[in-house]
């Protein structure tokens, strides 16, 4: 009879892929180490009791909370409580999605449960992290944004996720933004080093307005946006064989707004004559479910041609290339200063709406 019980004991341990040396004395301790010992010795209910106490004090986020939920899931799997195990795995991923639990010592069946759960849960975590990185990048915090994008690429490289066709767009976006923020960090470091080596120039009396003009007041009307211009009695036109033609409105999933970069007495900003924004065609992947915003800064010469265009900030790297290529063909009625055409800058803000 003792032999049968011993065989049953070792069979339970082997089912989870873990075992302890014979003769180990097991004591229920009110800490995570004690819960692990109880789990290894197949005392699953007792281990869960200890883990529940630990969970109440560990909170819902952080590596320790994730590890507690990981062992709760192991206990539930051993007890056949699949639904509870699934909830515990979800709680573990939510607590610390960027730490991958070590399942190398688990039985293949148990490891596959964890792998399947993470493959189901991690894509949404990655989408959220990508959106957070975009927000940080737009706020000018390239370093924090880069950490988010790098985390996304790390998550999507996990076994079971790497190479998935439905995540290819998300992986591409995270990789592109990670490279972009690295370049921004390098440029910022170079600029800081140059500033430290050269004395700062004395300010000039010239007044330059902010990139985004102030709100209109009764004495100073706002500069109309491109969208507003389309509703006026004289819409922007393009040049054609049949005479001036109306500028086509952007697609419903792309919104663009022109804003002057400078404003001074007697200055009239450039106005769009031909400004066709590239269509947003992300396909059916996850990128099409994400909204992006950014802008392109233009230098327009006295004849109305675009002589330079830079993204400020990036919209979405693959789309940026389309915008810059299109901007070379845009035509404007040049800005004037006291009635004379002059070189000016314009900033075209772009919003890509989710499909």
């Amino acid at each position: 009879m003792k032999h049968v019980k011993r065989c049953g004991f070792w069979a339970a341990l082997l089912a989870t892929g873990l075992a302890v040396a014979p003769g180990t004395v097991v004591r229920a301790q009110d800490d995570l180490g004690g819960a692990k010992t109880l789990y290894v010795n197949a005392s699953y209910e007792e281990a869960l009791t200890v883990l529940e106490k630990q969970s109440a004090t560990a909170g819902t986020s952080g590596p320790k909370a994730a590890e507690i939920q990981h062992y709760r899931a192991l206990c539930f799997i051993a007890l056949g409580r699949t639904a509870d195990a699934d909830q515990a795995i979800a709680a573990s991923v939510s607590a610390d999605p960027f730490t991958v639990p070590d399942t190398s010592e688990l039985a293949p069946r148990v490891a596959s449960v964890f792998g399947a759960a993470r493959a189901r849960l991690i894509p949404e975590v990655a989408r959220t992290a990508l959106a957070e990185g975009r927000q940080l990048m737009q706020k000018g915090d390239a370093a924090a944004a880069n950490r988010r994008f790098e985390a996304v690429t790390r998550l999507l490289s996990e076994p079971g996720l790497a190479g998935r066709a439905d995540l290819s767009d998300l992986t591409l976006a995270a990789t592109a933004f990670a490279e972009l923020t690295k370049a921004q960090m390098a440029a910022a470091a170079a600029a800081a080093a140059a500033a430290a080596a050269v004395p700062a120039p004395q300010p000039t009396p010239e007044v330059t307005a902010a990139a985004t003009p102030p709100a209109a007041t009764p004495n100073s009307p706002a500069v109309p946006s491109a969208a507003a211009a389309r509703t006026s009695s004289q819409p922007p036109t393009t040049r054609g064989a049949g005479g001036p033609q109306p500028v086509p409105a952007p697609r419903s999933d792309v919104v663009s707004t022109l804003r002057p970069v400078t404003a001074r007495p007697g200055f009239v900003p450039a106005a769009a004559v031909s400004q066709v924004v590239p269509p947003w065609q992300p396909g059916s992947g996850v990128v099409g479910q994400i909204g992006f915003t950014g802008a392109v800064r233009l230098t327009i010469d006295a004849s109305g041609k675009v002589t330079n265009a830079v993204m400020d900030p990036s919209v979405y790297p693959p789309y940026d290339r389309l915008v810059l290529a299109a901007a070379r063909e845009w035509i404007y009625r040049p800005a004037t200063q006291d009635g004379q055409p002059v070189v000016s800058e314009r900033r075209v803000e772009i919003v890509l709406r989710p499909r």
Side-chain angles (χ1 to χ4, degrees), residues 9 20-29 33-34 36-38 40-41 43:
F9 170 75
V20 295
T24 300
V25 178
V26 179
R27 290 186 298 273
Q29 305 170 34
K36 293 178 181 179
T37 303
L38 288 166
V40 169
N41 286 276
S43 299

Side-chain angles (χ1 to χ4, degrees), residues 17 26 41 52 55 67 83 94 109 145 163 202 204 210 248 252 276 280 311 328 345 347:
V26 179
N41 286 276
E52 292 296 342
S55 179
E67 189 175 16
S94 176
R109 177 183 65 84
Q202 295 299 316
T204 64
S252 61
V276 180
W280 174 225
M311 301 309 298
R328 298 189 188 100
E345 287 190 344
R347 189 169 182 271

Side-chain angles (χ1 to χ4, degrees), residues 197-221:
V198 179
Q202 295 299 316
T204 64
E206 252 183 73
V207 178
T208 302
T212 300
T217 65
N219 296 323
S220 95

